């Protein structure tokens, strides 16, 4: 049987190891992680989710404090329409993160940025335009458009000098979404350079309803490939979601996929941005600890570990400081749910909100432990140490395990 290393991904002039580490929002897929993938000849992703917050933590800026100071007067107001991002700070923060990352890049691989379009930031089009254009300005190798795929995204950057040179990819979970995107962006005469097909077992937000279990990645990938063939389109297809071993990956490559996108295995790497104690929660999780629920205010189901502190927590919304999920009208369904609970429990010091969560605050604080369905197998990828904890792995070890392993085996460190 073949292994991943028997294949290469051809993206324009680049010949790559066909392993792409997926974007993991709010600095879970750090620059260090993405750079390891690139150094080893594959593709890594940084993410621009909550970029101002990430910049504060990494580059000593004070964007969050400044935004909160500006809008403090509005904290108790249900209407968040006034809470706008200063686009200049979004540019600066994006620039800081990408410049610092690209300056350290080594090896023959590529570093892309995951751009989650569902982060509507109270001005969806304007903020998305700035995010994408700045990424291109800073020399990012590619942009992957994720959750909430905006059908007109390519048009927002079509006059940028790097529009045809940078790699642009999309994430879809159905042929229908793909066909819609291709139709809408055909006017720009610019096809995506790659298509990530994300199945129902992935981490983060899902492109499925709560009936996700009825779907199967291999079937959707086959449908996408058939559709591309019937349209005479030759675009690399990259399956994602539940590809846990090198053999799982090789099976997709043998059936015509160009590469695979993986993430969950890397959540327990040294380079991953999760705090050390949270990585242990990922290792410890059992199969029935992994749930898909609808608490994300994006409106998409999301997969997470059941014991995530974010579930049921009723903190006051933090839109004046963050506000990444405010829609074009300044609304977020967590704000609505929170105010409903406050009204129902007058005088209570703290409320519980079960149906929605303050995603910005909890992702920022690593209190929402989103994960792939196969997280429960992570404990089998390492050693248990004498103190009962699990040994953290290097990203290089995990990457090479995907690249070289055979027979459904996972090599222990
Ligand atoms: C912790 C975590 C966070 C994620 N965050 C994002 C994100 O911000 N944007 C995105 O497009 N996908 C996100 N994903 C999905 C991954 O990029 C990837 O496509 C998917 O998880 C692959 O499946 P696997 O985790 O089973 O390997 C996330 C996945 C995980 C595990």
């Amino acid at each position: 049987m073949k292994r991943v290393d028997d294949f290469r991904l051809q993206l324009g002039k680049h010949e790559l190891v066909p392993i792409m580490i997926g974007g993991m929002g709010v600095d879970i897929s750090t620059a260090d992680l993405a750079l390891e993938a690139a150094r080893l000849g594959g593709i890594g992703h940084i993410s621009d989710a909550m970029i101002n917050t990430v910049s504060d933590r990494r580059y000593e800026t004070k964007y969050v404090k400044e935004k909160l100071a500006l809008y403090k007067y509005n904290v108790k107001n249900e209407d968040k329409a006034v809470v706008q991002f200063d686009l200049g700070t979004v540019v600066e923060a994006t620039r800081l993160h990408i410049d610092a990352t690209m300056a350290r890049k080594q090896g023959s691989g590529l570093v892309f940025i995951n751009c989650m379009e569902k982060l509507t930031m109270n001005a969806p089009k304007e903020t998305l335009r700035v995010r994408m254009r700045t990424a291109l300005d800073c020399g990012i190798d590619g942009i992957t458009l994720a959750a909430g795929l905006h059908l007109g995204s390519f048009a927002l950057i079509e006059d940028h000098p790097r529009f045809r040179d940078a790699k642009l990819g999309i994430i879809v979970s159905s042929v229908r979404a793909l066909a819609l995107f291709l139709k809408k962006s055909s006017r720009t005469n610019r096809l995506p350079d790659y298509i990530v097909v994300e199945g129902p077992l992935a981490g983060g937000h899902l492109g499925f309803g709560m009936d996700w279990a009825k779907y199967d990645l291999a079937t959707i990938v086959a449908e996408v490939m058939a559709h591309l063939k019937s349209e005479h389109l030759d675009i690399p297809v990259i399956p994602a979601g539940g590809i846990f071993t090198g053999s799982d990956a090789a099976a997709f490559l043998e059936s015509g996929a160009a590469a695979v996108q993986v993430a969950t295995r890397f959540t327990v790497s040294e380079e991953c941005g999760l705090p050390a104690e949270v990585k242990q929660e990922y290792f410890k999780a059992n199969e029935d600890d992994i749930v898909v629920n609808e608490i994300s205010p994006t409106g998409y189901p999301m997969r997470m570990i059941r014991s995530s502190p974010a579930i049921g927590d009723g903190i006051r919304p933090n839109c004046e400081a963050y506000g990444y999920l405010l829609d074009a009208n300044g609304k977020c369904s967590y704000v609505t749910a929170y105010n409903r609970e406050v009204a129902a429990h007058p005088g209570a010091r703290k409320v519980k909100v079960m149906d929605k969560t303050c995603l910005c605050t909890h992702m920022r604080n690593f209190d929402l432990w989103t994960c792939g369905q196969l997280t429960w197998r992570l404990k089998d990828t390492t050693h248990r140490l004498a103190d009962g904890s699990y040994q953290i792995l290097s990203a290089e070890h995990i990457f090479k395990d995907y690249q070289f392993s055979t027979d459904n085996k996972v090599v222990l460190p």
Side-chain angles (χ1 to χ4, degrees):
M1 196 195 161
K2 291 197 166 173
R3 56 186 187 166
V4 168
D5 195 48
D6 295 325
F7 299 85
R8 285 295 177 267
L9 163 65
Q10 196 71 42
L11 264 192
K13 61 182 191 321
H14 301 277
E15 193 181 277
L16 301 148
V17 178
I19 301 171
M20 178 148 122
I21 304 181
M24 294 183 270
V26 196
D27 214 18
I28 297 178
S29 58
T30 58
D32 285 352
L33 181 57
L35 287 167
E36 275 300 272
R39 185 180 67 81
L40 297 164
I43 301 173
H45 275 93
I46 52 174
S47 155
D48 79 345
M50 297 186 74
I51 193 73
N52 288 18
T53 316
V54 171
S55 168
D56 283 358
R57 189 143 56 190
R58 293 208 169 260
Y59 312 111
E60 295 175 15
T61 48
K62 300 244 170 354
Y63 299 126
V64 174
K65 212 170 145 198
E66 286 160 14
K67 185 165 178 249
L68 179 59
L70 190 63
Y71 294 116
K72 207 170 172 117
Y73 70 92
N74 197 63
V75 164
K76 291 196 173 150
N77 193 348
E78 254 185 71
D79 184 350
K80 306 292 184 193
V82 293
V83 187
Q84 297 284 330
F85 279 87
D86 171 347
L87 294 181
T89 67
V90 178
V91 170
E92 279 171 23
T94 308
R95 191 172 273 289
L96 282 167
H97 195 38
I98 298 178
D99 283 351
T101 306
M102 298 311 273
R104 288 197 288 137
K105 201 184 126 185
Q106 291 174 8
S108 58
L110 301 175
V111 173
F112 291 177
I113 194 161
N114 179 280
C115 195
M116 228 187 99
E117 303 193 31
K118 256 295 172 188
L119 297 190
T120 37
M121 297 171 72
N122 211 345
K125 230 178 175 169
E126 294 74 7
T127 51
L128 184 61
R129 181 187 284 119
V130 157
R131 290 158 66 189
M132 294 198 297
R133 297 185 81 89
T134 309
L136 294 175
D137 288 343
C138 296
I140 195 82
D141 292 320
I143 304 179
T144 302
L145 299 172
L149 197 59
H150 189 296
L151 295 179
S153 304
F154 278 16
L156 296 176
I157 48 171
E158 66 180 321
D159 61 340
H160 194 283
R162 294 195 62 226
F163 181 57
R164 285 171 205 281
D165 128 60
K167 302 290 161 227
L168 300 180
I170 58 172
I171 304 184
V172 295
S173 294
S174 67
V175 175
R176 198 178 144 268
L178 172 65
L180 273 171
F181 185 88
L182 293 178
K183 186 160 173 235
K184 186 75 200 261
S185 57
S186 63
R187 193 187 59 68
T188 61
N189 277 323
R190 169 68 160 99
L191 291 168
D193 296 298
Y194 57 98
I195 299 165
V196 177
V197 178
E198 203 178 68
L201 304 184
H205 290 96
L206 303 184
F208 301 86
M210 288 303 281
D211 60 350
W212 57 271
K214 287 198 326 215
Y215 297 88
D216 154 66
L217 176 61
T219 307
I220 306 168
V221 169
E223 287 167 2
V224 164
M225 292 202 284
H227 176 76
L228 292 174
K229 196 165 174 211
S230 73
E231 297 286 316
H232 308 291
L233 295 174
D234 184 18
I235 308 175
V237 171
I238 305 181
I243 300 172
F244 199 81
T245 66
S247 304
D248 294 341
F252 276 109
L253 298 173
E254 282 200 87
S255 56
V260 293
Q261 173 164 290
V262 288
T264 292
R265 289 273 312 268
F266 291 92
T267 58
V268 290
S269 66
E270 280 151 25
E271 291 82 355
C272 162
L274 292 170
E277 63 280 10
V278 177
K279 289 176 190 166
Q280 294 297 323
E281 299 292 335
Y282 280 60
F283 273 129
K284 279 189 278 180
N286 291 315
E287 196 168 1
D288 55 6
D289 295 328
I290 294 156
V291 294
V292 175
N293 60 36
E294 293 179 288
I295 67 172
S296 167
T298 59
Y300 290 89
M302 196 175 184
R303 178 171 281 117
M304 60 193 74
I305 300 178
R306 194 190 293 280
S307 52
S308 300
I311 303 178
D313 189 68
I315 49 164
R316 189 166 72 190
N318 252 327
C319 311
E320 283 69 24
Y322 304 137
Y324 292 83
L325 288 161
L326 293 172
D327 66 16
N329 303 311
K331 298 262 183 295
C332 168
S333 59
Y334 178 68
V335 178
T336 313
Y338 172 81
N339 287 315
R340 182 199 65 217
E341 292 304 322
V342 170
H345 301 92
R349 278 191 45 223
K350 189 136 202 242
V351 293
K352 266 187 133 9
V353 182
M354 296 310 296
D355 53 329
K356 290 292 163 201
T357 193
C358 186
L359 195 67
C360 291
T361 307
H362 290 305
M363 287 304 291
R364 145 89 183 51
N365 294 339
F366 301 112
D367 279 339
L368 193 154
W369 302 333
T370 184
C371 65
Q373 180 64 30
L374 300 185
T375 298
W376 59 276
R377 287 174 63 186
L378 288 174
K379 56 177 82 55
D380 300 328
T381 67
T382 193
H383 300 288
R384 190 106 192 242
L385 303 174
D387 66 358
S389 69
Y390 292 89
Q391 182 184 339
I392 295 295
L393 307 161
S394 71
E396 178 173 4
H397 169 83
I398 303 165
F399 189 97
K400 288 193 167 159
D401 183 47
Y402 270 118
Q403 188 176 355
F404 297 113
S405 73
T406 52
D407 300 325
N408 281 307
K409 285 198 199 103
V410 170
V411 175
L412 299 185

